[in-house]
Amino acid sequence: MGRRILFLGPPGAGKGTQAAMLATALGVPHVSTGVMLREAVAAGTELGKRAKSIMAGGDLVPDDLVVAIVEERLARDDAACGYLLDGFPRNVAQARALTAALGDDSVEVALLLEVDEDEIVDRLMKRAAEGRADDNEDTIRRRLEVYRQETEPMVAAYGDKVVAVDGMGAVDDVFAGVVRALV
Ligand code: AP5
């Protein structure tokens, strides 16, 4: 089995950016629940219809829906040689579901991207022009709140699997830190 890496960190920390670069470098799939959910919303599927307003408000989509799409994705052949998880698991219940499905080795290392709150708001407000429904000031604040309440406790739950990476620099400098954290 190849590398099984989880990206943790607040909204706007650069999880998607770094996970895409690392997935290309390692040749493993980049599994982003945010991307999968936005695709479902754009396609107008049943999942997308249920997720749309929840995502626009910055809250978490119900665990059973998210766990189902991740289990389906990780069962595909390309994930047999490893994967990068971005945005999942996002709370302790999702982490338990992942462990129940794939075992304790389902996450080998959890990379925690650390970025100041001012920088997060700045990055996401800059991205607002791209039209993501959740990139507006109120929703950004709610997403940060949800992160602190629901997702941050996973840092303790993953214990010594967690490696902190400075996410404040330029994209390539952050990536160098990600690579260093994995050797
Ligand atoms: P999701 O898509 O996972 O969003 P998020 O966690 O809020 O993260 P972002 O995509 O905003 O940020 P990121 O850390 O990936 O950073 P990025 O690389 O994009 O989730 C969205 C919603 O879907 C959730 O709120 C929830 O409703 C739902 N959802 C998703 N997963 C779920 C789950 N498991 N359970 C329940 N609900 C779920 O970078 C951000 C911006 O900064 C970009 O413009 C980028 O170009 C820029 N940037 C990146 N790195 C740098 C850098 N080093 N310097 C300057 N700019 C940078």
Side-chain angles (χ1 to χ4, degrees):
M1 184 178 250
R3 312 260 4 212
R4 285 142 286 123
I5 297 165
L6 162 64
F7 276 88
L8 282 173
K15 303 181 296 294
T17 304
Q18 297 297 325
M21 292 166 75
L22 190 61
T24 303
L26 296 177
V28 296
H30 170 196
V31 177
S32 162
T33 42
V35 169
M36 290 190 282
L37 289 167
R38 279 186 290 281
E39 284 172 358
V41 171
T45 63
E46 270 317 303
L47 168 67
K49 282 179 200 154
R50 290 186 64 181
K52 187 174 179 177
S53 63
I54 299 171
M55 293 172 74
D59 287 302
L60 295 185
V61 173
D63 292 338
D64 57 335
L65 299 179
V66 179
V67 168
I69 58 169
V70 173
E71 285 188 358
E72 186 276 323
R73 180 64 190 87
L74 295 183
R76 289 195 221 158
D77 290 348
D78 63 346
C81 297
Y83 45 77
L84 298 186
L85 296 174
D86 161 15
F88 178 94
R90 219 175 182 98
N91 59 25
V92 173
Q94 292 180 12
R96 284 204 197 102
L98 179 64
T99 304
L102 296 179
D104 282 336
D105 293 339
S106 54
V107 173
E108 162 209 348
V109 56
L111 297 176
L112 173 63
L113 289 177
E114 296 183 314
V115 177
D116 294 351
E117 197 155 317
D118 288 349
E119 172 72 10
I120 286 169
V121 175
D122 192 49
R123 286 183 190 177
L124 297 181
M125 289 308 290
K126 275 189 192 140
R127 191 175 61 185
E130 291 173 21
R132 231 178 92 163
D134 54 354
D135 285 340
N136 59 74
E137 206 168 332
D138 285 349
T139 307
I140 292 168
R141 291 204 189 289
R142 178 65 191 146
R143 285 157 67 196
L144 278 165
E145 221 172 75
V146 170
Y147 175 76
R148 305 278 175 236
Q149 285 168 4
E150 300 269 335
T151 309
E152 216 164 45
M154 288 204 314
V155 176
Y158 277 111
D160 57 11
K161 291 186 177 180
V162 177
V163 182
V165 175
D166 182 5
M168 287 293 288
V171 169
D172 287 345
D173 294 335
V174 176
F175 187 64
V178 164
V179 172
R180 272 198 304 277
L182 292 173
V183 290

